[in-house]
Amino acid sequence: RPRGPNAADHGFHERPTANLWVMRETLECAAGGCVPCCYKMVLHRDPNHPMVPNQRPECCPRSGNGSHPRGSHHEADPSPDPHPRFDPVIRRIGWYTSGMRVLTVGDGDFSFSLALARGVGAGDLVASSYESRETVVTVYPDCSKTLMELKRLGATVRHGIDAVSLQGTLHKSDCAQGFDRVVWNFPCLAVTGGQDGQNAQMDLNKRLLEQFCQSVHLLLAPGGEVHIAHKTKPPYNQWSIVQLCQNNRLDSLGAIVFDRSVFPPYTNRKALDKKSFPVHDAQYYVFKSGDPEGDDAARQQHPPTLKSVDPSHDAVHNDDQTDYQPRPPRPTESIQTALAQQGQLLRVNRDMLAALRALPHMTPAQTKTKKQRR
């Protein structure tokens, strides 16, 4: 929403923060000097508060140039857990933990499935693609090696799985126990020219997602969830994903700031195209079954991804008021307060976004040019 007398003229709208969450490591990275991670949270540049431009995601210290190198996932490693940040007792990656039955849908090059398999184990993972095996190994570099590693780790790999007919295309044995989590990253139809998800295909893509919702709720175990990652800037915000899914047998639980670095070696790909695409504006939409019998708390095996939220929280932070004016930003106060909370997922509020914009590495006046650094 606009802030300041000229914000509306510049088209500035603050990111909605009602029931929005962020991974602890994303916030720590942003506060520690990472410009890409700051932009994952704030999304927009405020014309009333100058900011440095966004940087390529590879500049994040947790990407391929950082402590968790990308591209090394095909090298032999006898350790069952090559990433030391995971909990040694309950294995965890992001908000997924060992013991969860997880179905990945439309995982083009299977790199997200590999991240889960390495992070929490593969025995309860069903990794799927819509395309045939021959197609994915032809289109995506190193996909054959990824598939070999998934099978070595014990994952179930399926091809030809249709998101709008999951029960009809998955094996019966895959569906027998239901899934605790079903994940579909950046759903879209494959369109010639790589313009998938744009305005011309919007109605077709929305229909695809509607049919997926109607299909997936039948596969959820008690307390099971559906996680859909998607971009939020135009034209993708016009998909109205929350409303669309809630109209088709799912209930919204909230959203999580998308951070690809949480899931190495995941790389988002275009449909039937080895190219990646910008996702700094993306978030995970989290849903549960809209059927009462699908939300049986007494029978669910895993706690919900997102905590129940006290409605007064948003009132305290004025997140839903059109006349919201943030407090004068103190670059560390609201961030330190959030990091002092327990848990891997932390609530986002507007004071936190204002504080991120005011951090020294986000302020042009305190960023030296190449000539000054010499």
Side-chain angles (χ1 to χ4, degrees):
R1 298 183 179 96
R3 290 195 284 116
N6 300 317
D9 295 337
H10 289 80
F12 175 77
H13 292 268
E14 181 66 278
R15 177 178 196 159
T17 59
N19 212 7
L20 179 67
W21 301 72
V22 65
M23 280 293 296
R24 176 180 297 275
E25 66 181 274
T26 308
L27 182 58
E28 288 175 339
C29 194
C34 179
V35 172
C37 282
C38 283
Y39 268 99
K40 290 170 190 175
M41 297 183 63
V42 303
L43 292 189
H44 309 291
R45 299 176 70 177
D46 185 346
N48 295 322
H49 186 95
M51 293 166 54
V52 299
N54 197 0
Q55 299 174 352
R56 292 187 60 82
E58 293 80 8
C59 294
C60 173
R62 295 173 297 127
S63 72
N65 297 323
S67 59
H68 303 291
R70 290 181 178 275
S72 62
H73 59 288
H74 298 315
E75 298 179 9
D77 186 346
S79 169
D81 189 352
H83 302 290
R85 72 176 181 272
F86 299 136
D87 189 305
V89 179
I90 299 177
R91 299 177 66 187
R92 178 187 303 276
I93 182 171
W95 42 92
Y96 302 100
T97 58
S98 52
M100 287 181 175
R101 280 189 52 78
V102 180
L103 168 66
T104 58
V105 177
D107 191 11
D109 69 350
F110 286 88
S111 60
F112 184 79
S113 299
L114 184 58
L116 296 182
R118 287 179 168 183
V120 298
D124 295 304
L125 172 65
V126 178
S128 76
S129 69
Y130 177 70
E131 295 81 14
S132 66
R133 186 186 190 284
E134 293 73 17
T135 298
V136 296
V137 299
T138 300
V139 172
Y140 302 110
D142 296 329
C143 189
S144 59
K145 296 180 181 178
T146 300
L147 295 173
M148 288 175 61
E149 184 172 351
L150 281 170
K151 291 188 176 181
R152 178 177 63 81
L153 292 172
T156 299
V157 177
R158 304 295 188 204
H159 302 283
I161 304 305
D162 191 342
V164 307
S165 180
L166 292 170
Q167 281 191 317
T169 51
L170 284 166
H171 293 201
K172 289 185 178 179
S173 59
D174 299 336
C175 310
Q177 300 178 51
F179 292 99
D180 300 303
R181 303 291 185 264
V182 178
V183 189
W184 195 2
N185 292 331
F186 305 101
C188 66
L189 297 166
V191 178
T192 303
Q195 297 300 311
D196 38 10
Q198 301 296 326
N199 285 318
Q201 294 80 36
M202 187 183 303
D203 289 340
L204 292 175
N205 278 307
K206 289 172 70 173
R207 180 57 182 157
L208 172 71
L209 200 53
E210 287 175 346
Q211 292 177 311
F212 165 72
C213 294
Q214 295 165 7
S215 173
V216 73
H217 85 99
L218 299 170
L219 299 183
L220 296 177
E225 297 176 358
V226 178
H227 298 173
I228 300 172
H230 222 299
K231 294 166 64 65
T232 60
K233 286 188 174 182
Y236 304 98
N237 61 333
Q238 298 174 40
W239 288 34
S240 303
I241 287 178
V242 171
Q243 181 179 353
L244 184 152
C245 293
Q246 290 192 145
N247 289 341
N248 289 276
R249 321 275 313 248
L250 298 179
D251 287 339
S252 175
L253 295 174
I256 306 170
V257 173
F258 182 85
D259 182 359
R260 194 176 71 179
S261 295
V262 171
F263 300 102
Y266 174 54
T267 299
N268 52 290
R269 307 279 189 189
K270 292 187 175 184
L272 290 179
D273 193 326
K274 65 181 180 181
K275 295 179 182 178
S276 184
F277 52 91
V279 290
H280 88 273
D281 62 314
Q283 63 187 31
Y284 269 104
Y285 298 88
V286 181
F287 299 93
K288 66 177 181 178
S289 174
D291 296 337
E293 60 270 21
D295 190 32
D296 187 349
R299 294 173 54 211
Q300 69 184 49
Q301 299 296 312
H302 302 277
T305 299
L306 302 179
K307 302 174 185 176
S308 298
V309 177
D310 182 351
S312 65
H313 176 279
D314 289 332
V316 170
H317 295 285
N318 301 309
D319 282 353
D320 291 325
Q321 296 183 18
T322 56
D323 59 350
Y324 170 76
Q325 293 291 332
R327 297 176 298 172
R330 298 177 182 177
T332 60
E333 179 184 355
S334 61
I335 297 173
Q336 290 176 344
T337 299
L339 292 174
Q341 301 172 22
Q342 295 183 347
Q344 293 300 310
L345 285 166
L346 308 173
R347 285 299 308 274
V348 178
N349 60 63
R350 293 197 173 187
D351 288 336
M352 181 190 295
L353 300 186
L356 288 169
R357 289 191 176 95
L359 288 171
H361 59 276
M362 293 295 287
T363 306
Q366 300 186 40
T367 303
K368 292 183 179 182
T369 65
K370 289 184 179 179
K371 186 174 181 180
Q372 289 173 322
R373 285 196 292 269
R374 292 177 189 149

